[in-house]
Amino acid sequence: MCGPHTPLNTVVKRERHILPAVDQTLAMMKDAKVFTKLDAWYGFWQIPLTPESRPLTTFITPFGRFQFNRLPFGIASAPEHFQRRMLQMLEDFEGVICHANDVLVYGRDRQEHDQRLHCVLQMFQKEGLALNEKCEFAKSQIIFVGRKVSAKGIEADPNKITAIQQLPQPQSVEDVRRLMGMANYLAKFMPQLATIITPLKELLKDRNEWIWAEPQETAFRRLKGILSSPEVLTQYSNSADTRVAADASPYGIGAVLTQKQSDNSWRPVTYISRGLTDTEKRYAQIEKEALAVTWACERLSSYLMGLQFTLITDHKFLVPLLSTRGLDDLPPRILRFRLRLLRFTFTIVHIPGKNLVTADALSRAPLAGPPSAGDLQLEKEVEVFVDSVVSHLPATDKRLEEIKLAQEMDDLCRRVVNQCATGWPEKGKLDPELKGYWEYRMDFNLVHGLLMKGERLVIPPQMRAEVLSHLHEGHQGVSKCRARAKESVWCPGI
């Protein structure tokens, strides 16, 4: 649970807590052979607020006013405060590294490891710190902050490059063009790029027939190897400026985390992608973009927790939805994504799609395979919330089905649905009939086939007189009638 703390954050004084460099802390693990990773259960919630701080977190609900008794997600200073508390708790222990929610315990053998782990767990028990099911105990190798740690030493996390290594073979000129866009964006780090991609560039010439032969396959494999090599990738640093660029296609989402180097260039740290589930494929395009941003931040949380970073999207309308717009004025799915993002500290910015080449290419060639348990849980949580919105509409199931059928038969509603799926153009390029809907383009969404504006049903023209007649029943007057309408139904003018 998160609260709308944006106004509070404007006056909260941030703590100045400088984390030690990741490589510096991991270098302490010389000769370590046994590892345990502990993950705090909703870490912020385990820190009690002082009585004088609690009223500052007050929020209003239909059931009354409430305030947090424990540190909520969404407070600007929460990550630094939590990190400082964790480090203070563990500062006297040997063989322990702490990064945000994650604690790594290591030893040169099982006996030393177990002794250290026992001491840490005793401290957690004393402080009342709970752990979750993500903990990993007594492993010979473990992934920690983007590194694979083992008795052999510290290596790059192989998962950082899976999205690149498993890129499928291009099937069209457009696929090759997207791949070339990603390669050209990173060309400064690949001196031999022009020579390597020559067979692929031949496929882009109009006079050439599409033939994928051995030269193209060799070039494709070499290009993937270079994109995931140390020549291009950089090691993660918790002190470098950080960006996360995310994008969504009709069938996948992708993202890349980049960091600024000493020469002012931006290098990728890790690439990620996945396909959309059947339910997610039916989201409006702006909901897919919001999902891409949310999934990327949660997937990369081990890098991002406690950092101030920049989120990059090519969907201009998404910027206010995930930053300045009030939580009570968001479409249901967007609201759930916004709440999940409150535990991160970021600034979201828009750039043209032509400059978001890497995330775009990854979203259009996502990793194959079934969705993970975490992805399915995210989908379930979002849909449970959306279902609750529909269940509270003042309409029977029969009535909702009638409205759904009327929407499907109405040409104007079908066109709005199509714009939601593909994205809205500039207002000047719209047909005159749709211009009354353009102003509210960020709010339209589909829920179980029902076209809605936020939490309100969109009423087709042929049903408006009937619906308004029902709203007038009870003779409550114009003002109360309009108030009732604004709670549950929408059409231009209401």
Side-chain angles (χ1 to χ4, degrees):
M1 183 176 181
C2 298
H5 302 304
T6 304
L8 178 59
N9 284 334
T10 62
V11 293
V12 167
K13 187 175 181 180
R14 299 288 295 268
E15 295 191 33
R16 180 66 174 165
H17 180 73
I18 301 176
L19 296 176
V22 174
D23 289 331
Q24 176 186 337
T25 54
L26 292 180
M28 299 162 52
M29 296 191 301
K30 185 180 180 181
D31 299 327
K33 293 182 173 61
V34 187
F35 309 90
T36 285
K37 183 167 69 173
L38 305 174
D39 193 355
W41 183 83
Y42 289 107
F44 295 178
W45 288 357
Q46 301 193 53
I47 298 177
L49 292 176
T50 60
E52 58 268 24
S53 294
R54 293 171 188 172
L56 299 175
T57 66
T58 301
F59 58 98
I60 301 172
T61 77
F63 314 104
R65 298 186 180 191
F66 294 86
Q67 63 186 27
F68 283 89
N69 293 322
R70 292 180 173 269
L71 182 63
F73 292 99
I75 297 292
S77 61
E80 295 99 325
H81 182 77
F82 178 76
Q83 180 73 49
R84 180 173 59 81
R85 290 283 295 269
M86 290 291 291
L87 289 174
Q88 288 174 344
M89 192 187 306
L90 300 170
E91 62 184 352
D92 294 329
F93 292 89
E94 291 186 5
V96 181
I97 297 174
C98 178
H99 180 83
N101 283 10
D102 293 333
V103 176
L104 183 65
V105 182
Y106 59 89
R108 288 169 292 186
D109 52 43
R110 184 61 182 266
Q111 181 179 0
E112 183 180 66
H113 163 273
D114 289 356
Q115 289 174 346
R116 291 173 172 177
L117 178 60
H118 182 70
C119 293
V120 170
L121 294 177
Q122 279 187 321
M123 175 58 75
F124 284 175
Q125 185 178 43
K126 176 184 175 182
E127 296 291 333
L129 185 74
L131 303 173
N132 65 30
E133 69 279 359
K134 297 180 183 178
C135 297
E136 300 178 56
F137 294 95
K139 301 290 185 179
S140 58
Q141 64 180 37
I142 210 159
I143 301 297
F144 187 75
V145 198
R147 312 288 202 280
K148 185 173 78 169
V149 182
S150 70
K152 298 178 182 178
I154 302 168
E155 307 170 62
D157 177 5
N159 293 322
K160 292 168 58 174
I161 56 176
T162 303
I164 291 293
Q165 290 181 331
Q166 295 188 18
L167 278 174
Q169 173 187 309
Q171 300 297 315
S172 66
V173 170
E174 189 59 35
D175 289 347
V176 174
R177 188 170 286 117
R178 278 192 290 268
L179 183 65
M180 292 298 95
M182 179 166 59
N184 290 331
Y185 182 72
L186 299 168
K188 67 182 73 174
F189 309 121
M190 299 181 285
Q192 305 301 316
L193 178 65
T195 302
I196 293 171
I197 64 175
T198 296
L200 296 172
K201 291 176 68 176
E202 291 296 316
L203 297 174
L204 301 179
K205 296 178 179 179
D206 293 337
R207 58 182 172 80
N208 289 344
E209 184 180 355
W210 174 271
I211 299 177
W212 188 269
E214 184 60 33
Q216 284 75 28
E217 182 65 26
T218 300
F220 179 53
R221 292 183 181 277
R222 288 185 66 189
L223 179 58
K224 289 197 296 182
I226 292 177
L227 288 172
S228 55
S229 71
E231 295 178 69
V232 174
L233 287 178
T234 186
Q235 291 286 3
Y236 169 76
S237 168
N238 51 8
S239 59
D241 291 347
T242 302
R243 294 175 178 171
V244 175
D247 200 15
S249 72
Y251 43 83
I253 50 181
V256 57
L257 185 150
T258 58
Q259 291 196 310
K260 193 174 185 178
Q261 306 302 300
S262 57
D263 61 359
N264 291 326
S265 66
W266 289 83
R267 287 198 178 215
V269 174
T270 181
Y271 311 96
I272 55 174
S273 70
R274 73 167 174 87
L276 296 176
T277 67
D278 290 340
T279 298
E280 292 166 345
K281 288 176 183 176
R282 294 192 289 270
Y283 286 3
Q285 184 59 32
I286 196 166
E287 292 174 326
K288 292 176 183 174
E289 301 287 351
L291 168 65
V293 165
T294 305
W295 174 78
C297 288
E298 294 189 340
R299 175 74 181 273
L300 301 171
S301 62
S302 63
Y303 299 99
L304 300 176
M305 286 300 294
L307 286 187
Q308 170 73 49
F309 62 96
T310 301
L311 265 179
I312 300 176
T313 178
D314 64 353
H315 210 81
K316 184 184 297 184
F317 308 137
L318 192 62
V319 174
L321 292 179
L322 296 183
S323 56
T324 57
R325 195 162 174 180
L327 295 180
D328 57 351
D329 191 29
L330 294 176
R333 291 192 183 96
I334 302 290
L335 174 59
R336 293 308 300 173
F337 296 138
R338 172 86 171 268
L339 291 175
R340 294 181 76 104
L341 286 170
L342 285 177
R343 63 192 177 113
F344 299 100
T345 306
F346 63 86
T347 301
I348 183 168
V349 299
H350 165 262
I351 66 169
K354 63 182 180 181
N355 296 331
L356 203 70
V357 289
T358 303
D360 174 69
L362 291 168
S363 73
R364 296 179 184 277
L367 285 174
S372 69
D375 297 337
L376 292 175
Q377 183 63 28
L378 171 59
E379 176 198 301
K380 180 180 178 182
E381 289 180 8
V382 171
E383 293 311 303
V384 165
F385 178 72
V386 171
D387 290 343
S388 72
V389 171
V390 175
S391 68
H392 284 86
L393 289 171
T396 63
D397 290 344
K398 180 181 178 182
R399 187 61 169 163
L400 291 176
E401 189 62 29
E402 291 173 354
I403 294 173
K404 177 182 174 183
L405 290 173
Q407 290 177 345
E408 291 173 349
M409 296 184 66
D410 180 70
D411 179 64
L412 194 56
C413 285
R414 289 200 303 268
R415 289 158 71 187
V416 172
V417 170
N418 182 63
Q419 295 295 345
C420 290
T422 59
W424 289 77
E426 295 298 322
K427 188 175 183 178
K429 298 179 180 179
L430 276 176
D431 293 337
E433 298 86 354
L434 285 174
K435 290 186 177 180
Y437 293 80
W438 189 86
E439 180 182 351
Y440 310 102
R441 61 200 179 281
M442 294 186 291
D443 301 322
F444 293 119
N445 58 101
L446 276 178
V447 179
H448 304 313
L450 282 166
L451 177 62
M452 301 182 69
K453 177 190 175 291
E455 299 182 5
R456 299 160 62 186
L457 290 165
V458 175
I459 304 301
Q462 68 270 28
M463 294 189 72
R464 289 173 188 171
E466 179 187 354
V467 169
L468 291 175
S469 176
H470 280 296
L471 290 172
H472 276 296
E473 291 178 359
H475 308 287
Q476 295 179 328
V478 175
S479 297
K480 290 187 177 180
C481 178
R482 282 185 173 274
R484 289 185 63 195
K486 288 182 178 180
E487 292 176 359
S488 55
V489 299
W490 182 88
C491 60
I494 294 184

